[in-house]
Amino acid sequence: MGNIKIIRGVFDTKLELERASVMAGFPSPADDYMHETLDFNRDYIKHPEASFYGEVEGDSMKDAGIFDGDRVIIDRAVEPHDGSIVLAWMGSDGFTMKYLDLTHRDEGYIELRPANDDYPVFRIDDPDNFEIWGVVVHLIRTFEWF
């Protein structure tokens, strides 16, 4: 089972960056007048008191484009739905990140599905040792360190 390390973030500091478009044609004369900024907290953190970072360990979600070493933003205030990527607490096994499958709810169980065929599907029959801890709302990937 892939693991995830939870990291508490500080979401009250503004980080503003000038907007930069990636051009695939000719530059626009309007580019000289662009002043919109990206504020990470405003644009990506909707519920600061319920948001955490997670550092991904393992490759169980690789077919969803989530790889070992990536960071995800988890929001505990977002209501999970069928198909959500969730962070689940599995008791003594710890945290795992998987797709939530609610199609068997009427039959008395739910499933946590990996995005990698090398990993098993978890069938959750007994909710006593299980909790959906939050919903993965954003992915952060670093390509290069300078």
Side-chain angles (χ1 to χ4, degrees):
M1 172 183 340
N3 292 319
I4 190 160
K5 177 179 159 188
I6 303 299
I7 305 164
R8 180 70 177 149
V10 177
F11 299 111
D12 58 357
T13 304
K14 283 192 170 200
L15 172 64
E16 293 191 3
L17 304 171
E18 285 296 321
R19 179 177 158 203
S21 354
V22 178
M23 301 304 295
F26 294 103
S28 167
D31 285 346
D32 293 335
Y33 300 98
M34 294 178 129
H35 295 290
E36 186 177 339
T37 58
L38 170 67
D39 180 336
F40 186 83
N41 297 312
R42 177 196 67 215
D43 297 336
Y44 294 100
I45 308 299
K46 300 301 179 203
H47 307 104
E49 67 288 346
S51 295
F52 295 83
Y53 294 108
E55 191 170 295
V56 177
E57 298 174 357
D59 63 352
S60 70
M61 294 300 288
K62 73 178 181 95
D63 293 341
I66 302 172
F67 300 104
D68 186 69
D70 285 349
R71 287 198 172 167
V72 291
I73 299 174
I74 302 139
D75 192 330
R76 296 195 73 191
V78 171
E79 187 70 30
H81 58 82
D82 186 53
S84 290
I85 297 175
V86 298
L87 184 65
W89 176 253
M90 303 280 290
S92 61
D93 291 329
F95 286 109
T96 188
M97 182 176 50
K98 302 284 184 278
Y99 282 114
L100 178 63
D101 181 347
L102 299 175
T103 57
H104 302 283
R105 183 182 267 172
D106 292 342
E107 299 165 51
Y109 68 95
I110 63 171
E111 292 180 335
L112 295 176
R113 298 189 160 276
N116 180 342
D117 290 338
D118 293 337
Y119 289 83
V121 172
F122 292 102
R123 179 178 164 148
I124 310 298
D125 296 299
D126 181 12
D128 288 341
N129 210 18
F130 168 80
E131 178 186 356
I132 295 175
W133 200 78
V135 175
V136 174
V137 293
H138 296 288
L139 170 67
I140 302 167
R141 176 168 300 133
T142 301
F143 292 103
E144 287 187 37
W145 286 101
F146 297 96

